[in-house]
């Protein structure tokens, strides 16, 4: 049993070394210009070891996205179980999760990967929270506009491009929810 735990720790440490190397490189250059050779050299492993963990750089990115999504869903679930969850709390939790993982999130939300990652967040986290019973094409478009707009605003605010406090941003989000999104979702059209 002890050997399995040690192997698991080694596996996790090796995977984490590749992830750390990738994110270090991604802070210096575009994702599309990073090579597996650069990742393995920085991580201190060879290509064969890399391929035991990841098929390519994009599977490494997907692994990191999955890890973020899983952790964020868990944070939201814990709040739901404690009955501490309200409309604005979802985005507060998302902002908190972004901030806690900002080093990696800044890469996952880079211009090269942003639309892909925002789609995954919307589908895997946000989309599951606000599914009306009578979902129509109009409501699907409304949901996409609402979530993608908010996620984009959160991203550029985290980059320092807007300069709002989290509370001010959350106030805007809540007003949009109360005055536009919720009425659209409750309408019978």
């Amino acid at each position: 049993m002890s050997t399995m735990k040690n192997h698991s720790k080694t596996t996790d440490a090796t995977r984490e070394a590749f992830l750390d190397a990738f994110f270090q490189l991604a802070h210096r250059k575009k994702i599309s210009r990073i090579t597996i050779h650069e990742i393995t050299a920085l991580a201190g492993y060879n290509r064969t070891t890399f391929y035991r963990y990841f098929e390519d750089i994009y599977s490494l990115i997907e692994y990191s996205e999955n890890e973020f999504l899983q952790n964020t869903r868990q944070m939201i679930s814990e709040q739901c179980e404690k009955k501490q969850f309200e409309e604005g709390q979802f985005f507060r939790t998302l902002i908190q999760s972004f901030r806690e993982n900002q080093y990696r999130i800044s890469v996952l939300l880079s211009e090269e990967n942003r639309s892909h990652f925002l789609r995954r967040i919307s589908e895997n986290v946000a989309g599951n929270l606000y599914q009306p019973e009578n979902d129509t094409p109009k409501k699907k478009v409304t949901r996409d506009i609402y979530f993608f707009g908010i996620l984009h605003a959160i991203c550029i605010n985290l980059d320092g491009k807007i300069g709002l406090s989290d509370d001010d941003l959350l106030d805007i989000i809540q007003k949009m929810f109360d005055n536009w999104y919720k009425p659209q979702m409750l309408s019978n059209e």
Side-chain angles (χ1 to χ4, degrees):
M1 185 93 152
S2 173
T3 306
M4 283 182 63
K5 282 186 181 181
N6 288 340
H7 177 71
S8 178
K9 286 180 185 178
T10 301
T11 298
D12 291 345
T14 305
R15 181 181 291 113
E16 196 60 32
F18 288 130
L19 290 165
D20 285 343
F22 168 77
F23 284 105
Q24 284 178 40
L25 291 165
H27 276 277
R28 297 192 306 245
K29 61 195 291 187
K30 288 185 168 221
I31 293 171
S32 60
R33 301 222 184 262
I34 297 172
T35 66
I36 292 172
H37 174 73
E38 290 172 309
I39 294 170
T40 57
L42 188 57
Y45 293 94
N46 61 37
R47 291 175 72 89
T48 304
T49 304
F50 177 89
Y51 288 119
R52 282 188 208 141
Y53 294 89
F54 303 106
E55 186 176 312
D56 55 23
I57 291 173
Y58 296 101
S59 68
L60 180 148
I61 293 169
E62 185 175 351
Y63 177 87
S64 190
E65 289 176 350
N66 290 341
E67 195 174 48
F68 171 81
L69 292 168
Q70 180 180 359
N71 291 338
T72 302
R73 279 193 306 262
Q74 183 176 344
M75 287 172 67
I76 291 168
S77 293
E78 287 170 3
Q79 288 178 345
C80 287
E81 288 172 12
K82 293 176 185 174
K83 307 263 190 262
Q84 296 175 339
F85 201 80
E86 50 192 57
E87 303 299 344
Q89 190 61 32
F90 168 77
F91 289 107
R92 183 174 300 284
T93 301
L94 194 58
I95 290 170
Q96 176 188 347
S97 188
F98 278 19
R99 289 208 185 280
E100 288 175 3
N101 299 284
Q102 193 157 2
Y103 185 74
R104 289 186 178 182
I105 289 297
S106 63
V107 171
L108 296 176
L109 291 171
S110 66
E111 288 189 30
E112 276 185 285
N113 200 54
R114 181 172 289 176
S115 63
H116 168 76
F117 190 42
L118 289 180
R119 170 65 60 193
R120 293 201 64 209
I121 292 170
S122 179
E123 289 171 354
N124 290 283
V125 179
N128 294 330
L129 292 173
Y130 297 103
Q131 293 288 346
E133 290 178 24
N134 59 341
D135 211 8
T136 64
K138 183 178 177 183
K139 290 181 181 184
K140 289 177 185 176
V141 169
T142 301
R143 187 171 43 254
D144 277 353
I145 290 169
Y146 179 71
F147 283 109
F148 279 102
I150 289 170
L151 291 171
H152 179 71
I154 290 171
C155 293
I156 60 176
N157 197 52
L158 289 172
D159 286 345
K161 294 177 182 170
I162 296 178
L164 286 175
S165 70
D166 290 349
D167 288 335
D168 286 342
L169 183 57
L170 289 165
D171 184 54
I172 293 168
I173 292 168
Q174 188 63 49
K175 286 177 181 166
M176 284 181 62
F177 179 84
D178 293 338
N179 298 320
W180 181 71
Y181 184 75
K182 187 175 180 181
Q184 292 292 319
M185 291 295 113
L186 295 175
S187 87
N188 290 325
E189 289 182 21

